[in-house]
Amino acid sequence: MPSFDIVSEVDKQEVDNALNQARKEIATRFDLNDTKTEIVLEKDEIIVTADDAAHLKSVREIVIGKLSRRGVDLRNIEQVDPAISSMGHARQELKIRQGLEGDKAKEIIQAIKSQGFKVQSQLQDRQVRVTGKKKDDLQAVIQFVRNRDFGVATNFKNFRD
């Protein structure tokens, strides 16, 4: 029986490439030349630190711009409010969401069921597995999900006949 998975993933290599490009641009920018700015990629978050709020805003805009140009879907990047200390240092976390959360997965499953496609969809380990008897039905579901905005990036993988 043909099937495929609907996932919401961010390519880690593209994130790493974008952050390296951002670091290079920050090193050459005149307005950020003598500031202590840092971009750190941890497991599922990017931590941006700067001397003050104005520099933090500039660095964050550079990072977001580079991520966008590298093809990283910004719907999966959650910006937490910046923390500004009394000394003036500023820090902000950009959380990278991997996988479909329970509510988003249920919303996708309900949308597929409401359209009356002849497929079954179920939640499996932060992804939605869609199975059907005909390949054409699965392709119609892919087209439907691509055209609808669920607030997260949707990718398709493991398409099997």
Side-chain angles (χ1 to χ4, degrees):
M1 220 155 136
S3 68
F4 71 91
D5 297 330
I6 301 173
V7 297
S8 179
E9 294 179 345
V10 174
D11 187 2
K12 289 285 199 176
Q13 187 61 48
E14 289 299 328
V15 171
D16 191 41
N17 292 340
L19 295 182
N20 287 335
Q21 286 179 346
R23 288 184 193 107
K24 286 181 184 177
E25 183 175 331
I26 290 168
T28 59
R29 287 259 305 246
F30 180 76
D31 59 337
L32 298 172
N33 202 7
D34 292 330
T35 61
K36 291 185 179 179
T37 58
E38 188 178 26
I39 302 170
V40 178
L41 175 64
E42 290 186 358
K43 186 178 178 190
D44 278 334
E45 64 184 7
I46 303 166
I47 299 173
V48 179
T49 56
D51 287 342
D52 57 25
H55 288 125
L56 179 71
K57 184 178 179 202
S58 297
V59 172
R60 185 186 65 230
E61 287 175 359
I62 291 170
V63 169
I64 295 296
K66 296 296 180 186
L67 286 170
S68 175
R69 282 190 208 111
R70 295 297 299 189
V72 176
D73 198 326
L74 296 180
R75 293 178 290 184
N76 281 13
I77 306 293
E78 179 185 344
Q79 297 185 32
V80 179
D81 291 334
I84 301 170
S85 70
S86 59
M87 300 289 289
H89 298 294
R91 179 179 194 265
Q92 184 173 16
E93 296 176 1
L94 305 173
K95 296 190 178 193
I96 302 170
R97 290 185 283 193
Q98 297 278 37
L100 290 170
E101 303 298 324
D103 294 338
K104 290 293 177 188
K106 288 177 185 175
E107 180 182 344
I108 291 170
I109 291 170
Q110 287 294 355
I112 292 170
K113 285 183 180 178
S114 70
Q115 291 297 311
F117 293 113
K118 295 180 180 177
V119 296
Q120 294 82 35
S121 53
Q122 58 191 15
L123 179 61
Q124 288 184 346
D125 191 36
R126 300 174 63 106
Q127 62 188 14
V128 176
R129 168 75 44 98
V130 180
T131 57
K133 291 183 179 180
K134 295 182 182 177
K135 191 162 97 172
D136 293 341
D137 293 339
L138 297 181
Q139 289 173 340
V141 170
I142 289 173
Q143 195 66 26
F144 168 72
V145 172
R146 275 197 181 130
N147 292 334
R148 183 122 183 248
D149 184 22
F150 292 102
V152 294
T154 52
N155 307 1
F156 309 97
K157 65 179 193 178
N158 295 337
F159 191 93
R160 297 195 174 111
D161 265 336

